[in-house]
Amino acid sequence: MRLDKLIETRLQTTRKEMKRLFLMKRVRIDDIVEMNPQRNVDSQLHQIVVDGQQLFTEHVYYLLNKPRGAVTAKQDARCQTVLELIEEADRRKELYPVGRLDRDTTGLLLLTDNGQLGYDLLQPKQKVHKTYRAIVKEEVTQQDVAAFADGIVFHWGIVCQPADLKIISTSPTASEVELTIQEGKFHQVKKMFLACGKKVVELERLSMGPLRLPPELAAGAYRSLTQSELQQLKKYFR
Ligand code: URA
């Protein structure tokens, strides 16, 4: 949550009073004077003290194993949404998925009501790496590995950032690969393979930044981030 919003809601300050608190160095995060009212904070990660009073946030962070068929949207007239997979008691008004996965893609999806964190994680300059496991209908070769490392060029000239492609198994009719990309263009993985004349028939996200898909999390199930996972996201709280 933005620090100024937290102070305003918890301490009912006017804009003038808020400005004064910062100018008087009465705002401390982890025992250091904070001068940036727009900083993103969470009391699970930061000690937030304003005018001698400790303030608390109530954000939620869920790691969902998105099943095939659910759509990454807040609402959909026809399909189940990823938000509907969250029990009502765990839902929050501002809860939303960070980034999107296609309807037929499965795997790791972060949902949070900390809008600022979600926004920051998706900024291209953050270069948040995402790893996918894919089944491709054709043979994947070392030439493909080299092309992905150089930066795939889409047919309309857009150049992708270098990506790390690992072949797990391959044959003329099917290959299993792991691909790590550092950006998030629309249908990126499928389009990268299409640019090499190959079709992705199964796609699962295994990781996003420091978050890993827990093997024990069944499709459609979710859990809150652990304290250790949240700590690893701390560097994205700006
Ligand atoms: N790339 C895709 O093509 N689809 C996804 O769902 C995610 C990444």
Side-chain angles (χ1 to χ4, degrees):
M1 185 177 210
R2 262 174 60 156
L3 185 53
D4 52 0
K5 200 167 163 216
L6 176 69
I7 298 173
E8 191 186 325
T9 48
R10 296 289 187 274
L11 302 182
Q12 308 287 309
T13 52
T14 60
R15 286 179 76 86
K16 207 169 152 191
E17 286 163 345
M18 167 103 63
K19 223 171 167 181
R20 199 168 153 274
L21 284 169
F22 279 97
L23 284 174
M24 301 288 288
K25 302 190 173 13
R26 301 294 294 155
V27 182
R28 298 179 81 86
I29 306 295
D30 295 338
D31 230 8
I32 296 170
V33 171
E34 179 61 58
M35 301 302 284
N36 177 11
Q38 290 172 15
R39 178 172 171 177
N40 188 14
V41 286
D42 186 304
S43 57
Q44 296 174 78
L45 291 174
H46 308 102
Q47 192 192 45
I48 310 157
V49 179
V50 180
D51 214 13
Q53 198 176 325
Q54 191 165 355
L55 303 188
F56 295 93
T57 54
E58 283 162 6
H59 284 307
V60 293
Y61 305 89
Y62 301 130
L63 200 154
L64 169 74
N65 184 356
K66 179 192 167 302
R68 186 181 282 268
V71 291
T72 316
K74 282 193 101 168
Q75 272 184 346
D76 193 280
R78 284 177 302 136
C79 299
Q80 182 180 45
T81 69
V82 290
L83 286 177
E84 285 161 0
L85 293 163
I86 307 298
E87 281 176 33
E88 252 173 61
D90 291 336
R91 280 188 218 159
R92 300 287 180 276
K93 195 163 150 263
E94 308 289 335
L95 190 65
Y96 81 111
V98 177
R100 70 176 296 285
L101 293 176
D102 297 337
R103 183 142 71 101
D104 58 355
T105 301
T106 61
L108 185 150
L109 188 67
L110 174 67
L111 294 108
T112 182
D113 60 348
N114 185 335
Q116 187 63 41
L117 175 70
Y119 176 81
D120 286 339
L121 280 171
L122 295 179
Q123 290 310 298
K125 66 172 186 241
Q126 293 283 5
K127 294 195 186 302
V128 174
H129 286 66
K130 291 141 215 138
T131 299
Y132 295 85
R133 187 186 72 85
I135 304 292
V136 179
K137 228 171 112 191
E138 294 79 11
E139 182 168 15
V140 175
T141 64
Q142 288 305 323
Q143 269 136 296
D144 296 321
V145 173
F148 275 70
D150 283 348
I152 292 287
V153 184
F154 290 157
H155 295 312
W156 43 97
I158 294 169
V159 183
C160 299
Q161 297 284 322
D164 183 27
L165 177 62
K166 284 194 181 71
I167 303 172
I168 311 290
S169 65
T170 190
S171 79
T173 51
S175 307
E176 182 178 357
V177 298
E178 265 185 35
L179 175 66
T180 302
I181 56 175
Q182 44 178 304
E183 52 193 341
K185 300 188 200 305
F186 193 54
H187 299 319
Q188 174 141 5
V189 175
K190 291 173 186 165
K191 283 187 196 159
M192 285 171 108
F193 278 100
L194 269 185
C196 304
K198 300 181 184 185
K199 186 170 166 54
V200 171
V201 288
E202 232 182 273
L203 190 60
E204 178 185 32
R205 183 153 67 188
L206 303 177
S207 71
M208 177 177 170
L211 304 177
R212 306 269 169 275
L213 181 67
E216 71 282 3
L217 197 66
Y222 70 96
R223 64 153 171 77
S224 295
L225 290 191
T226 62
Q227 189 56 32
S228 142
E229 286 167 332
L230 207 46
Q231 279 293 344
Q232 292 176 68
L233 286 180
K234 192 168 178 176
K235 66 174 176 181
Y236 299 104
F237 279 74
R238 292 180 303 119

